[in-house]
Amino acid sequence: MPAENQSNKFQTIIIGGGASGLVAAIVAARRKQTVLIIEKNSAIGKKILVTGNGRCNLTNINVSPDKYYGENTKCLHNIFNRFSYNDTIEFFEKLGVKLKTEPGGRVFPASNQASTVLEALERELFRLKVTIKLGERVTKLNSTKLGWQVNTDKNRYQSKSVILANGGKSYPQLGTTGDGYDFARQLGHQIIEPKPALVPLQLEGSWFKDLPGIQVNVELILKQENKHIKRTGDLLFTHFGISGPVVLDISRLIRKNDTGLFINFFPAYKNSKELESFLNINWQSHLRKTILNSLAELLPKKLCAVLLNILKINPDKQVGQINQKGRKLITEHFIHWQVSVKSTRSFAEAMVSTGGVALDEINPKTMESLKAKGLYFAGEILNIDGVSGGYNLQFAWSTGGLAGINCST
Ligand SMILES: Cc1cc2nc3c(=O)[nH]c(=O)nc-3n(C[C@H](O)[C@H](O)[C@H](O)COP(=O)(O)OP(=O)(O)OC[C@H]3O[C@@H](n4cnc5c(N)ncnc54)[C@H](O)[C@@H]3O)c2cc1C
């Protein structure tokens, strides 16, 4: 390992060149800090490129603490009051990224390309002469009398402050293998056990095996003790179970002892009576249609065939031949279809990680550690995760921005 020399000394070292680290670097460099980003991948911002299905849903105009989970979401007021979604919008617009807001308040680059966001960040890092070391994995972080010593698998660096921005454990194929948790633990921080979130669900059984690729707008109802949690949105069948925005959002809440997860395939109707009245009107005028064709006007045909088959209703029977009992069976089950969750899928398919560095050991106004001076945290490494819709990137930009400002003071 080479000895340190002047070129290995920086005022701020940022571990991780993802969303939070890149914003932290820009903010610190604008404040005249000498900044080094160390990234183990061969390029920075690899995860940014896959966000929002390649479109990068970079924030949401409805950002508020109630969109997040973690042990201390109240402290998010401190964070978002200092770096809000408006600051994010202004930050990117000043970098030349035109933005647009879509339904649900979700903000995207007008180009519909995540690469527009990353390229703007790269241009600014270049303009500010931020040093970037690629393909170097940080292996050790030590506090010394002179500040911080950061060892990688290739070099050794020194700095006055360090920002740990190396993400969580989700999508390890993009570099996020949870290394930061170990560094934080060694420096005295408590780590809340990370788990996959915004993740598809593996179902018991095989009834859904013929449905991969079928997407349908549903209401999901998760029953826990005497609480019913409801979410509406698109559900996507896969070969192992279910995915899609509504499933990802509810996945965070699935626990071992849940009494059941139910799909309402007719989310406009809240109970089987309402659905029955609607379907009866529909059916009265189509008595000679097969029940399958009649339902297929409202839902994907393949899905109707599978569900009717499970209910042991002949799909080719004419509507007029289905008796009251049969009609009840359809309405009751199509509005309240019970699925049995085997498990959430793994980190490899999770968009974010829950858990991480405990927030009550961090000053939420500065992102500085309360355990080690000159150590800052930003992004998914922290014990906060948001629902889908741009909230996780907003948390990364906000905490990166705050860490960048405060490591420079
Ligand atoms: C498929 C997918 C789609 C998503 N879509 C959205 C979306 O549209 N909107 C949204 O808000 N959120 C989205 N997210 C979540 C969002 O991308 C993350 O929450 C956000 O990127 C976290 O930023 P971060 O800076 O904390 O970490 P990351 O962006 O994960 O960056 C951490 C970086 O640190 C590097 N690193 C790790 N360990 C080391 C080490 N030892 N040495 C050097 N470098 C290291 C990693 O290689 C990585 O580049 C999505 C996530 C995924 C996986």
Side-chain angles (χ1 to χ4, degrees):
M1 182 169 291
E4 287 126 31
N5 57 41
Q6 213 46 42
S7 67
N8 283 12
K9 290 191 176 143
F10 296 84
Q11 281 162 310
T12 299
I13 292 179
I14 297 169
I15 304 177
S20 63
L22 300 184
V23 167
I26 288 172
V27 171
R30 283 178 181 167
R31 297 167 75 94
K32 310 287 176 229
Q33 296 278 297
T34 53
V35 179
L36 167 68
I37 298 173
I38 307 175
E39 168 57 56
K40 72 177 174 187
N41 286 330
S42 56
I44 53 172
K46 277 198 168 181
K47 198 177 271 181
I48 293 175
L49 292 178
V50 302
T51 57
N53 278 328
R55 294 203 302 135
C56 188
N57 177 194
L58 59 100
T59 187
N60 195 301
I61 61 168
N62 301 312
V63 166
S64 64
D66 64 345
K67 302 290 193 308
Y68 293 87
Y69 300 102
E71 100 268 23
N72 183 8
T73 50
K74 278 202 191 111
C75 79
L76 289 171
H77 284 296
N78 284 310
I79 295 172
F80 294 138
N81 284 346
R82 287 171 174 75
F83 198 114
S84 65
Y85 74 85
N86 271 322
D87 293 318
T88 298
I89 289 173
E90 194 183 317
F91 179 89
F92 282 103
E93 284 182 342
K94 278 197 175 148
L95 293 183
V97 181
K98 287 200 177 70
L99 301 172
K100 61 170 175 174
T101 306
E102 292 195 356
R106 301 187 307 154
V107 179
F108 291 88
S111 66
N112 277 330
Q113 300 286 330
S115 55
T116 311
V117 173
L118 181 57
E119 282 161 17
L121 292 168
E122 285 173 331
R123 276 196 305 275
E124 184 67 354
L125 291 165
F126 181 76
R127 185 185 74 79
L128 293 163
K129 299 189 172 58
V130 170
T131 307
I132 302 176
K133 296 283 178 183
L134 297 173
E136 277 192 46
R137 187 171 64 85
V138 173
T139 52
K140 208 167 173 203
L141 182 59
N142 283 324
S143 167
T144 70
K145 274 190 203 143
L146 299 171
W148 291 92
Q149 181 174 297
V150 180
N151 290 3
T152 73
D153 48 1
K154 295 183 181 142
N155 275 304
R156 198 160 62 198
Y157 304 95
Q158 269 185 20
S159 62
K160 185 173 77 66
S161 51
V162 162
I163 303 177
L164 265 180
N166 46 350
K169 283 179 88 169
S170 65
Y171 265 58
Q173 57 274 39
L174 294 180
T176 33
T177 44
D179 306 8
Y181 302 138
D182 291 334
F183 303 142
R185 201 179 283 115
Q186 281 153 18
L187 293 165
H189 279 273
Q190 191 203 342
I191 306 297
I192 314 298
E193 190 197 345
K195 294 199 179 122
L198 294 182
V199 65
L201 298 177
Q202 181 137 9
L203 299 185
E204 300 276 8
S206 60
W207 62 271
F208 47 83
K209 288 277 194 288
D210 290 333
L211 301 176
I214 288 182
Q215 188 158 329
V216 56
N217 189 264
V218 302
E219 179 184 51
L220 282 184
I221 304 133
L222 178 64
K223 295 193 179 172
Q224 288 178 336
E225 290 114 35
N226 34 20
K227 220 173 32 178
H228 290 186
I229 301 158
K230 297 181 178 178
R231 297 279 186 278
T232 305
D234 286 341
L235 175 148
L236 176 74
F237 284 97
T238 69
H239 64 280
F240 55 76
I242 48 175
S243 185
V246 71
V247 174
L248 301 186
D249 269 341
I250 218 158
S251 65
R252 172 70 165 80
L253 306 169
I254 301 277
R255 299 182 316 207
K256 266 201 177 122
N257 300 328
D258 290 337
T259 47
L261 181 63
F262 298 83
I263 305 174
N264 174 359
F265 289 108
F266 288 94
Y269 302 95
K270 297 298 165 210
N271 55 54
S272 61
K273 275 222 151 51
E274 277 184 23
L275 178 62
E276 204 176 327
S277 318
F278 164 72
L279 287 180
N280 272 334
I281 296 169
N282 195 286
W283 285 337
Q284 284 318 316
S285 47
H286 298 108
L287 289 173
R288 306 186 73 169
K289 250 193 189 159
T290 67
I291 186 70
L292 176 60
N293 284 340
S294 144
L295 285 169
E297 286 173 3
L298 307 164
L299 291 172
K301 192 168 187 175
K302 214 169 189 182
L303 172 66
C304 297
V306 167
L307 301 187
L308 287 173
N309 186 36
I310 296 171
L311 295 177
K312 296 192 170 50
I313 293 176
N314 179 354
D316 299 324
K317 227 178 187 179
Q318 289 182 346
V319 167
Q321 293 172 336
I322 308 266
N323 62 20
Q324 193 52 31
K325 200 171 150 214
R327 290 183 182 203
K328 236 187 163 45
L329 201 63
I330 294 171
T331 50
E332 277 175 1
H333 284 86
F334 274 56
I335 207 162
H336 210 230
W337 192 269
Q338 183 159 19
V339 297
S340 190
V341 178
K342 193 170 184 188
S343 62
T344 55
R345 297 287 279 183
S346 71
F347 278 112
E349 289 172 63
M351 280 162 73
V352 291
S353 322
T354 71
V357 176
L359 271 172
D360 55 10
E361 295 173 349
I362 282 161
N363 179 348
K365 295 179 182 162
T366 62
M367 303 318 294
E368 189 173 14
S369 160
L370 298 176
K371 303 264 175 187
K373 203 169 156 38
L375 175 67
Y376 296 80
F377 292 93
E380 207 176 304
I381 188 172
L382 292 160
N383 180 28
I384 285 286
D385 55 285
V387 299
S388 68
Y391 299 99
N392 287 294
L393 278 173
Q394 180 58 52
F395 183 69
W397 315 128
S398 292
T399 49
L402 278 188
I405 293 169
N406 289 288
C407 72
S408 324
T409 50

